[in-house]
Amino acid sequence: MKKNEEIATIFERIADILELKGENIFKVRAYRRASEALLGMDEDLSSPERMEEMAGIEGIGKSMAGKIKEYLETGSIAKYKDLISDVPETLLPLLKIQALGPRTIMAAFRELGVRDLESIEKAVADGRLAALPGMGEKKVENIRMGIEMYKTGKERISIGLALPVAEEMMLPLRAVAEKVSLAGSARRMRETVGDLDILATCSDCSRAVDAFVSHPLVRKVNARGETKASVIIGTYNLQVDLRVVAPESYGAALLYFTGSTAHNVKLRGRARDMDLKVNEYGVFRGEEMVAGKREEDVYRILGLQWIPPEIREDRGEIEAALAGKVPELVRAEDIRGDIHTHSNYSDGTNDIRTIALAARDMGYGYVGICDHSAASRIAGGMDEKKLGARNEEIDEVNREIRGIEVLKGIEVDILSDGRLDYPDRILEKLDFVIAAIHQGFRKDAAKRMKSAMDNPLVDIIAHPTGRLLSGRSGYDLDIDEIIEYAAGKNVSLEINSHFDRLDLNDLNILRARSAGARFLISTDLHEAGMFANIRYGVGMARRGWLTRKDVLNTYEWKDVPLRRRSKCCR
DNA sequence: GCCGTTTTCGGCCCGACTGTTTTCAGTCG
Ligand SMILES: Nc1nc2c(ncn2[C@H]2C[C@H](O)[C@@H](COP(=O)(O)OP(=O)(O)OP(=O)(O)O)O2)c(=O)[nH]1
Ligand SMILES: [Mg+2]
Ligand SMILES: [Mg+2]
Ligand SMILES: [Zn+2]
């Protein structure tokens, strides 16, 4: 998807430039929408011949298709080159600064010669920005703080870090509000969130807003009104937004605040076509409120099935809901076992018995111990002797403990020459094999992964892209090539729930699903207390529109469609 | 720039908060 991503980035930049130049906002949105559409496509635009794939994609019309073709043929887009000659490239990142929008940036550029972060800081400091018409001390002070945040804070954080903080922020609200609900991208379980969004319903809402802004974690209050407030908290410098409404508006408000924006806009457009109006207070036919208490009621009056938050991204879910074809997404309760767990035989902290008991407490029927192979030395990789001892201990635990089946697995290293770290003689004695690259990210990664998949004893590829949200970009390979190959060989792809991995992510899952791949959702835990983190992987799977049957570990162990059990593709 | 069981032109989601404003623009959700 390299080309799609490149073109999406250019469209995003064109949108930014047009916005700065004060172009028609709908044109700006058209470019943003086209950018999103490119990222959400099933097909890789690797060459101009694949242009037919564009036909019928919503948001990509004649002009966009022409520019895409131009890029694929020539490697650049003339319109972008034109635009970027008018506006310094270094101005675009300033749009990310809170309280600093396109009008102010452009005024500062035209009137004060501001061209980048450094020069806007100077204009703030020496009072020139405040002197511009319509500006003033307070506005500039807000911009100054926005710049501070921009320079220090990370842009987005993993859902796995954000959800526990959200729960902490919601706790004291529960005492003063009727209902307190998570909303925004966190409720949609996006892999990363830009902030936290919380909805509360109440009869006396000023008390709820008070409680919120005086939460002990709050460092700064951005805004505070009758119906909403916005704060920055100490944890991760996160912004947290609170919205309050009366109970009769709960459904409409939750729908609004859960988003996504694109989902909201499309729903509201549909409502308009039906001579209805949707806002965060309800659905209105003229003056009369005709729905609003429950999300389901709002969808129903628009002729739609209720849509799970995870897929509210305007990726076809509204069309599916109209046709009554919203998929039954995989649920946390469907997960029957977790087979990517590390014991103290490699780099885990707990013994096998402890892991087994914790898995049983989760209600699982089985748990797979999946320690590192010898080559992962820093991760305590096991030699053959140690593996033998571990397998004996698993047998022992299975004899001792009822109600959970402990399985013998391995996270076997894919070596630098593409061979596996253990011979088949060892692998075939195990219940399942997960293969992964842990070293040599730049060295023939695709070729090595494929040669690993050529071994019929390999059931699953772990964290298939290798990227870390904290920064590491991942293996040097084309993930679509790996997806195709895995689907063809009946090798399953992991959805790793670790907060820094979330790998595969939603977009990759969507394409892998179209390619016919199967998936394993696992925690990759190193501590028995971490089983519940599976929820992040389940969230990712749901965002990828997966159902129960797409996911290996929703089956009882004897029925899990492992590659090694399949008749074909050996 | 996109799009069409109202349309091939004229719409495109809707509202809250802040600051600088004497009536509303800018920014954000
Ligand atoms: N109707 C409408 N709703 C919006 C708009 N902008 C934001 N919202 C709603 C939908 C969003 O999911 C919700 C929260 O806004 P956020 O800016 O926090 O976005 P969101 O949480 O989706 O993503 P994030 O991870 O925070 O960047 O508010 C808008 O322009 N129109
Ligand atoms: Mg948000
Ligand atoms: Mg928000
Ligand atoms: Zn692992």
Side-chain angles (χ1 to χ4, degrees):
Chain A
M1 296 295 284
K2 198 142 165 291
K3 295 284 184 225
N4 303 51
E5 284 161 18
E6 288 166 9
I7 302 167
T9 303
I10 296 175
F11 282 0
E12 189 52 48
R13 296 169 72 90
I14 291 177
D16 286 350
I17 299 168
L18 293 175
E19 190 174 29
L20 283 175
K21 297 181 77 164
E23 253 287 4
N24 183 325
I25 189 63
F26 300 105
K27 195 163 167 176
V28 173
R29 279 183 207 154
Y31 276 98
R32 299 225 162 101
R33 184 164 171 226
S35 172
E36 284 298 318
L38 281 166
L39 294 177
M41 275 177 67
D42 274 350
E43 296 302 324
D44 187 357
L45 292 170
S46 45
S47 70
E49 294 81 72
R50 323 250 356 209
M51 279 296 295
E52 318 86 73
E53 319 285 1
M54 307 289 326
I57 292 189
E58 234 189 282
I60 299 190
K62 256 192 145 159
S63 162
M64 299 287 184
K67 291 183 176 67
I68 292 166
K69 189 153 179 281
E70 182 188 354
Y71 184 82
L72 294 177
E73 283 168 358
T74 70
S76 67
I77 295 174
K79 162 118 179 169
Y80 175 65
K81 289 192 161 171
D82 278 359
L83 287 170
I84 203 72
S85 65
D86 291 353
V87 172
E89 221 172 341
T90 46
L91 226 40
L92 305 187
L94 304 189
L95 282 166
K96 291 210 158 71
I97 295 170
Q98 288 283 320
L100 185 59
R103 316 312 296 236
T104 311
I105 294 173
M106 241 9 216
F109 170 59
R110 294 208 167 108
E111 307 299 323
L112 308 174
V114 162
R115 308 181 65 80
D116 53 18
L117 183 61
E118 202 186 335
S119 48
I120 189 80
E121 279 191 281
K122 267 189 82 188
V124 165
D126 63 20
R128 281 178 300 142
L129 190 64
L132 289 179
M135 298 299 289
E137 295 294 329
K138 285 185 174 173
K139 273 192 175 179
V140 172
E141 175 56 14
N142 282 331
I143 291 168
R144 195 192 60 73
M145 288 188 288
I147 294 172
E148 284 311 303
M149 280 293 297
Y150 174 76
K151 292 205 297 185
T152 60
K154 274 200 69 189
E155 248 174 63
R156 309 182 63 82
I157 69 165
S158 166
I159 183 74
L161 296 176
L163 275 194
V165 183
E167 279 147 23
E168 200 178 342
M169 288 301 294
M170 288 161 71
L171 201 62
L173 279 173
R174 296 194 194 284
V176 290
E178 276 183 24
K179 266 191 193 144
V180 181
S181 307
L182 185 65
S185 52
R187 182 171 182 235
R188 302 199 311 279
M189 294 292 276
R190 250 191 98 168
E191 59 181 334
T192 63
V193 302
D195 68 0
L196 294 173
D197 302 287
I198 298 169
L199 174 72
T201 66
C202 36
S203 38
D204 179 11
C205 282
S206 67
R207 279 181 63 211
V209 176
D210 285 346
F212 179 68
V213 299
S214 55
H215 191 286
L217 281 176
V218 171
R219 283 270 170 85
K220 175 172 176 283
V221 179
N222 289 331
R224 181 225 176 110
E226 295 283 296
T227 66
K228 66 182 189 179
S230 175
V231 301
I232 305 289
I233 60 171
T235 321
Y236 311 120
N237 274 328
L238 260 180
Q239 176 175 318
V240 188
D241 294 333
L242 174 72
R243 185 70 207 248
V244 293
V245 294
E248 62 266 26
S249 292
Y250 175 73
L254 187 59
L255 183 54
Y256 149 70
F257 214 28
T258 297
S260 64
T261 301
H263 182 86
N264 289 351
V265 168
K266 183 166 269 185
L267 276 188
R268 289 169 180 209
R270 178 175 167 77
R272 210 166 219 291
D273 292 342
M274 300 169 74
D275 287 321
L276 296 169
K277 180 177 75 170
V278 172
N279 58 26
E280 62 266 50
Y281 300 107
V283 184
F284 300 85
R285 184 178 286 120
E287 294 289 280
E288 185 198 3
M289 175 161 157
V290 292
K293 192 150 180 54
R294 301 183 311 161
E295 279 190 341
E296 203 187 329
D297 303 336
V298 176
Y299 281 114
R300 187 183 309 113
I301 218 154
L302 298 174
L304 302 169
Q305 279 180 291
W306 180 82
I307 298 173
E310 292 90 340
I311 62 171
R312 297 182 192 171
E313 299 286 349
D314 192 21
R315 292 178 185 155
E317 74 280 6
I318 293 174
E319 293 76 4
L322 183 59
K325 288 183 176 155
V326 171
E328 273 208 36
L329 303 179
V330 60
R331 300 163 307 162
E333 309 91 89
D334 295 330
I335 302 293
R336 297 301 305 133
D338 186 346
I339 65 167
H340 189 168
T341 76
H342 293 265
S343 77
N344 56 4
Y345 274 90
S346 63
D347 57 348
T349 52
N350 295 108
D351 60 23
I352 291 164
R353 188 191 170 81
T354 306
I355 295 170
L357 291 173
R360 194 176 65 180
D361 285 347
M362 283 288 290
Y364 288 160
Y366 53 93
V367 60
I369 307 297
C370 189
D371 288 304
H372 289 286
S373 66
S376 275
R377 238 168 246 115
I378 44 165
M382 303 174 295
D383 60 20
E384 189 172 353
K385 191 159 159 249
K386 197 164 183 188
L387 175 67
R390 187 204 67 164
N391 289 346
E392 277 178 30
E393 188 168 328
I394 289 176
D395 287 336
E396 231 170 79
V397 172
N398 272 326
R399 281 192 296 272
E400 274 176 38
I401 302 180
R402 298 290 129 208
I404 184 92
E405 184 179 2
V406 185
L407 304 164
K408 297 166 189 156
I410 192 73
E411 181 171 10
V412 66
D413 261 69
I414 300 172
L415 302 175
S416 60
D417 59 2
R419 284 180 310 123
L420 297 175
D421 194 16
Y422 287 147
D424 289 359
R425 169 178 59 78
I426 294 182
L427 299 180
E428 67 197 7
K429 291 207 194 94
L430 297 167
D431 293 312
F432 64 93
V433 170
I434 299 182
I437 291 182
H438 290 107
Q439 288 142 44
F441 284 28
R442 315 259 143 240
K443 207 184 148 230
D444 293 330
K447 208 171 135 207
R448 288 156 61 206
M449 230 180 234
K450 286 189 192 169
S451 89
M453 288 191 269
D454 286 338
N455 187 328
L457 293 169
V458 169
D459 299 296
I460 294 139
I461 295 289
H463 39 74
T465 77
R467 73 87 200 252
L468 296 182
L469 286 170
S470 59
R472 192 176 74 191
S473 60
Y475 314 129
D476 184 16
L477 50 72
D478 175 3
I479 188 61
D480 291 305
E481 203 183 319
I482 302 303
I483 286 170
E484 280 295 328
Y485 207 77
K489 298 244 171 195
N490 229 345
V491 173
S492 292
L493 297 167
E494 185 185 40
I495 300 172
N496 188 301
S497 307
H498 188 272
F499 75 91
D500 205 20
R501 290 197 183 274
L502 301 176
D503 181 11
L504 298 176
N505 69 4
D506 54 350
L507 289 176
N508 286 327
I509 294 167
L510 280 167
R511 294 201 311 286
R513 168 178 159 272
S514 298
R518 260 205 270 269
F519 304 84
L520 172 78
I521 306 177
S522 49
T523 55
D524 195 359
L525 66 79
H526 291 69
E527 265 182 59
M530 306 291 237
F531 274 108
N533 286 351
I534 198 87
R535 65 173 167 158
Y536 305 117
V538 172
M540 219 40 55
R542 291 170 61 85
R543 289 181 60 80
W545 292 52
L546 299 188
T547 61
R548 219 165 66 83
K549 65 173 191 352
D550 298 315
V551 178
L552 294 193
N553 48 326
T554 60
Y555 295 80
E556 296 306 326
W557 180 249
K558 66 175 171 44
D559 301 321
V560 169
L562 282 177
R563 190 264 193 102
R564 59 176 60 204
R565 291 171 173 169
S566 65
K567 300 247 172 349
C568 79
C569 326
R570 295 286 295 246

